[in-house]
Amino acid sequence: MEIVLSKILSEIRHQEDKLSSQMMQTADEAYQMTLFLKEMLCTIKTNVLQDGFKDEHREIDFFKNIKPQILGKLIYYNKVFRIETTCPVSNGKIHQSYYENQLKALKSEYKESICNEDFYRYYRADRTDRDHIYFRLGQINYHDGLKSGVFEIDLSFSTYFDNKIAHIIANELLYTYMLTKINPEKNPDTILMSGDTNKDISWTNSQNALIELIYALYASNSITYGKINIRKLALIFQVLFQTPLNDIHHSFHRMKTRAGSRTAFLDQLKISLEEYMDKDL
């Protein structure tokens, strides 16, 4: 079976959108995504163990690009479920403090277990010269002094380093998630950009218009080839325009069922642009 990254990402996104439209609690949505991704990974594992890989290129692509995307999101959603089901209250100072402490723990894990490793620098530099070592089965060199986690994975379906990429992906998703739970104005160290750079920029249309634009960019894969999470994309716009957005998933669901045009803002954008173009004729 040919395993294609774009197809995998599309299936994951479809399931995320499907669950979001059902207006579940965050913990329930995370739990359902955990089950979905676990099943997806088990199915792919069965196929890989049965059929293997046609060549070295496909094997490297699978363990470097495909499996980490699935496993990374699986780790992420499982962690979100654990975070949400242990949160003491739904709002207030204790709620705020809880997520701040979770963010501190995440940063600590990043510093201690991720960013200081040679492999992290290799991965971030988009290098490929050691891919044949890092992302092929049976290439683990125990003389490198690997962490004991290497003995806890199934080496018939892991090169060890694919797990490392998965944890990097999960860490980044969790970081974004924490930012959405914490008010950036009360936590300057978590703001994505300096307040001075965008203090004069504001969104002057409706919240629904902005959400419609965000989803259009997300659905068209216009930002980082569609690899960016919808929550992260929404957060970027919230910080850029200093405009809080409430539950974007519920707002999007309402747009899908509203009377008249479901893309009212995008329709108006097209009209406005064409009128602007006509002025120069």
Side-chain angles (χ1 to χ4, degrees), residues 78-258:
N78 184 59
K79 181 66 174 178
V80 169
F81 175 75
R82 291 167 56 195
I83 289 172
E84 290 300 323
T85 52
T86 54
C87 185
V89 291
S90 60
N91 52 48
K93 291 184 177 180
I94 296 178
H95 178 269
Q96 180 84 7
S97 177
Y98 173 78
Y99 286 104
E100 288 175 353
N101 289 334
Q102 290 288 335
L103 183 60
K104 289 178 182 177
L106 188 67
K107 289 181 178 179
S108 177
E109 178 185 350
Y110 167 77
K111 291 178 180 178
E112 295 175 3
S113 305
I114 297 179
C115 70
N116 291 326
E117 294 190 352
D118 291 338
F119 175 75
Y120 181 79
R121 290 186 284 274
Y122 175 90
Y123 174 68
R124 280 295 178 223
D126 289 326
R127 288 169 54 187
T128 60
D129 52 290
R130 293 181 63 83
D131 281 3
H132 63 291
I133 298 174
Y134 288 143
F135 304 111
R136 297 201 67 200
L137 294 171
Q139 300 296 313
I140 293 177
N141 183 359
Y142 294 97
H143 282 108
D144 290 340
L146 304 176
K147 294 183 178 180
S148 58
V150 69
F151 303 111
E152 301 172 3
I153 59 178
D154 182 356
L155 295 180
S156 68
F157 188 60
S158 177
T159 69
Y160 175 65
F161 292 97
D162 58 289
N163 280 43
K164 283 187 169 292
I165 294 181
H167 279 89
I168 292 171
I169 292 171
N171 186 281
E172 292 178 347
L173 290 172
L174 285 166
Y175 183 76
T176 302
Y177 178 75
M178 295 302 177
L179 292 180
T180 65
K181 306 295 288 190
I182 299 173
N183 187 340
E185 293 181 358
K186 296 182 179 179
N187 300 275
D189 61 317
T190 67
I191 298 179
L192 295 179
M193 60 184 70
S194 169
D196 291 338
T197 63
N198 66 327
K199 63 182 180 181
D200 296 326
I201 302 175
S202 62
W203 181 258
T204 55
N205 211 308
S206 68
Q207 267 197 19
N208 281 343
L210 182 56
I211 293 171
E212 188 176 319
L213 176 62
I214 291 170
Y215 265 96
L217 293 171
Y218 174 70
S220 63
N221 296 334
S222 297
I223 311 295
T224 60
Y225 303 100
K227 295 181 180 180
I228 189 171
N229 182 277
I230 186 65
R231 296 180 189 275
K232 184 173 184 178
L233 187 59
L235 176 65
I236 291 171
F237 277 86
Q238 288 180 77
V239 175
L240 174 63
F241 295 121
Q242 301 183 68
T243 299
L245 296 176
N246 297 323
D247 195 325
I248 64 169
H249 293 306
H250 291 183
S251 296
F252 178 67
H253 180 67
R254 288 192 293 271
M255 289 178 192
K256 290 166 63 176
T257 57
R258 67 188 176 189

Side-chain angles (χ1 to χ4, degrees), residues 18-69:
K18 177 182 176 182
L19 293 175
S20 295
S21 69
Q22 295 176 17
M23 301 185 183
M24 294 180 173
Q25 295 292 327
T26 302
D28 294 331
E29 186 177 330
Y31 177 71
Q32 292 299 323
M33 281 303 302
T34 299
L35 296 180
F36 172 80
L37 291 164
K38 182 177 180 295
E39 181 64 26
M40 172 183 279
L41 198 59
C42 286
T43 299
I44 291 177
K45 178 180 179 180
T46 299
N47 291 326
V48 167
L49 294 181
Q50 178 179 319
D51 302 332
F53 299 98
K54 291 183 178 180
D55 51 46
E56 178 180 330
H57 171 75
R58 285 181 173 83
E59 181 177 0
I60 290 174
D61 180 58
F62 176 77
F63 287 113
K64 184 176 184 179
N65 300 311
I66 298 175
K67 183 189 170 188
Q69 289 292 334

